[in-house]
Amino acid sequence: MKKYFAEFFGTFWLVFGGCGSAVLAAGIPELGIGYMGVAFAFGLTVLTMAYAVGHISGGHFNPAVSIGLFVGGRFNAKDLVPYIASQVLGAIAAAAILYLIASGAPGFDVTAGFASNGYGEHSPHGYSLVAALLIEVVLTAFFLIIIMGATDKRAPAGFAPIAIGLSLALIHLISIPVTNTSVNPARSTGVALFQGSWAIEQLWLFWVAPIVGAVIGALAYRFISEEK
């Protein structure tokens, strides 16, 4: 159970810190942190919690990562469903607290987006479904390659959280304008449930694309890293 609680708290921190920075701090005129600040907030959440609880659960904080690591031979099938459940519950709990905080500001409108992921008219810059699908698949695939490489027994010990956290920040720097960046079905689910309309209708893509990308990335890393 300690592993599952670690995944709950890690995913909570990811959603609260990353989506919280987008909802509370990104849009303030002149003083807001903007896309770059949100990108680094997401990266920092993973970096800090990987050091805090990664030694307990492995620090997945993402259903796509858990599935990818299973496909890559790094994760036990018996823990897959409990990990995903813990991650989704952590994301929902974080979104709930973020909603309570954000609703304390005058003029707050959760239906405006609430850091949800979207495509088409709900993409930050109007990118199509195909563009959203491609970028989520490609970026999640590379995220898995980085995770598996950084945690390989042949990699320098102790530096994996830095590489993984910085890679997530880079992923957000690339794709916030396209989809608001998911690469994480739990993160997408937590805020979508509170947005309550189009975010739920488009949520399927932010489960399918990251999982497909994670499987591709895991298989690619297994191929290039196999020792003969």
Side-chain angles (χ1 to χ4, degrees):
M1 288 300 295
K2 291 179 180 179
K3 294 185 296 186
Y4 309 145
F5 277 114
E7 285 297 304
F8 175 93
F9 288 123
T11 313
F12 179 102
W13 187 237
L14 184 151
V15 173
F16 189 75
C19 295
S21 70
V23 171
L24 303 176
I28 303 169
E30 297 181 5
L31 297 176
I33 61 175
Y35 286 170
M36 184 175 289
V38 173
F40 276 95
F42 271 101
L44 288 170
T45 62
V46 168
L47 189 157
T48 52
M49 288 307 289
Y51 276 119
V53 300
H55 57 284
I56 299 171
S57 68
H60 300 187
F61 318 141
N62 181 338
V65 170
S66 296
I67 292 169
L69 292 176
F70 166 69
V71 171
R74 299 275 194 91
F75 189 55
N76 197 316
K78 70 179 179 63
D79 283 325
L80 192 55
V81 172
Y83 263 53
I84 292 172
S86 300
Q87 292 155 359
V88 172
L89 289 173
I92 294 171
I97 293 179
L98 179 59
Y99 172 79
L100 292 174
I101 295 168
S103 61
F108 170 69
D109 179 12
V110 71
T111 64
F114 198 53
S116 296
N117 303 113
Y119 56 84
E121 64 179 305
H122 302 299
S123 158
H125 291 272
Y127 285 84
S128 68
L129 186 157
V130 173
L133 178 68
L134 282 172
I135 201 164
E136 290 287 334
V137 168
V138 170
L139 290 177
T140 313
F142 275 90
F143 194 37
L144 260 292
I145 291 170
I146 292 163
I147 290 169
M148 293 185 70
T151 56
D152 194 299
K153 65 181 184 293
R154 294 166 291 178
F159 293 100
I162 298 173
I164 295 166
L166 288 176
S167 70
L168 188 60
L170 175 59
I171 284 167
H172 280 76
L173 287 172
I174 297 166
S175 60
I176 287 176
V178 184
T179 61
N180 224 14
T181 310
S182 173
V183 302
N184 185 334
R187 168 260 188 272
S188 298
T189 300
V191 290
L193 293 178
F194 287 86
Q195 195 285 328
S197 57
W198 60 261
I200 294 176
E201 294 169 5
Q202 296 190 351
L203 183 59
W204 66 271
L205 186 141
F206 302 104
W207 275 86
V208 172
I211 289 172
V212 170
V215 170
I216 292 171
L219 293 175
Y221 186 78
R222 287 188 74 166
F223 174 73
I224 63 175
S225 69
E226 198 171 73
E227 296 178 309
K228 293 185 179 181

